[in-house]
Amino acid sequence: MAAKNTNSRFKPKYHVKKNDTVLVITGDDKGKKGRVVEVNYTTGRVMVEGVNIISKHTRPTQQYPNGGIIKKEAPIHISNVQLVDPKTGKGIRVNRKEVEGKIVRTNKSGEIIK
């Protein structure tokens, strides 16, 4: 087994980026679509708007004077989401291709993803 690269500058290439619209393909929220709020490159997880809502019990603080149960989003693994094609609204698989000296994301049929 290869050693994991622990270099802090190392950033893996993932198929989704911040502000992409994704489709959840497995888990309790399967079939839901949402916008990627955050991508955590060290853990390989993404925060998707309106997906994987958890209940967090909090004691009273200045931010939450009454405390109680707070609903918030939790991260899900990046392998459980798929990029959504803006034209068709369906999930697509992502490739990378070099175009004019730059590496761009493309779908499997070769169309460039903005």
Side-chain angles (χ1 to χ4, degrees), residues 50-110:
V51 174
N52 199 21
I53 303 294
I54 61 166
S55 298
K56 183 175 172 73
H57 294 68
T58 60
R59 56 174 48 188
T61 61
Q62 285 185 340
Q63 188 177 6
Y64 303 106
N66 295 333
I69 300 171
I70 297 168
K71 301 280 189 185
K72 63 183 269 186
E73 296 148 351
I76 59 176
H77 198 266
I78 198 157
S79 65
N80 296 337
V81 296
Q82 190 174 32
L83 191 65
V84 171
D85 187 14
K87 295 176 187 169
T88 62
K90 295 183 179 179
I92 56 172
R93 294 187 291 167
V94 178
N95 276 349
R96 283 185 183 69
K97 189 187 293 184
E98 188 172 342
V99 176
E100 299 172 8
K102 284 187 146 187
I103 295 179
V104 294
R105 293 187 303 171
T106 63
N107 63 9
K108 287 289 185 174
S109 62

Side-chain angles (χ1 to χ4, degrees), residues 38-57:
E38 176 187 347
V39 179
N40 189 334
Y41 291 97
T42 57
T43 60
R45 294 182 166 267
V46 292
M47 294 276 279
V48 181
E49 219 171 46
V51 174
N52 199 21
I53 303 294
I54 61 166
S55 298
K56 183 175 172 73
H57 294 68

Side-chain angles (χ1 to χ4, degrees), residues 12-29:
K13 302 276 189 265
Y14 287 133
H15 60 282
V16 293
K17 298 191 289 190
K18 187 176 178 179
N19 293 324
D20 281 346
T21 302
V22 294
L23 171 71
V24 179
I25 56 176
T26 58
D28 293 338
D29 294 320

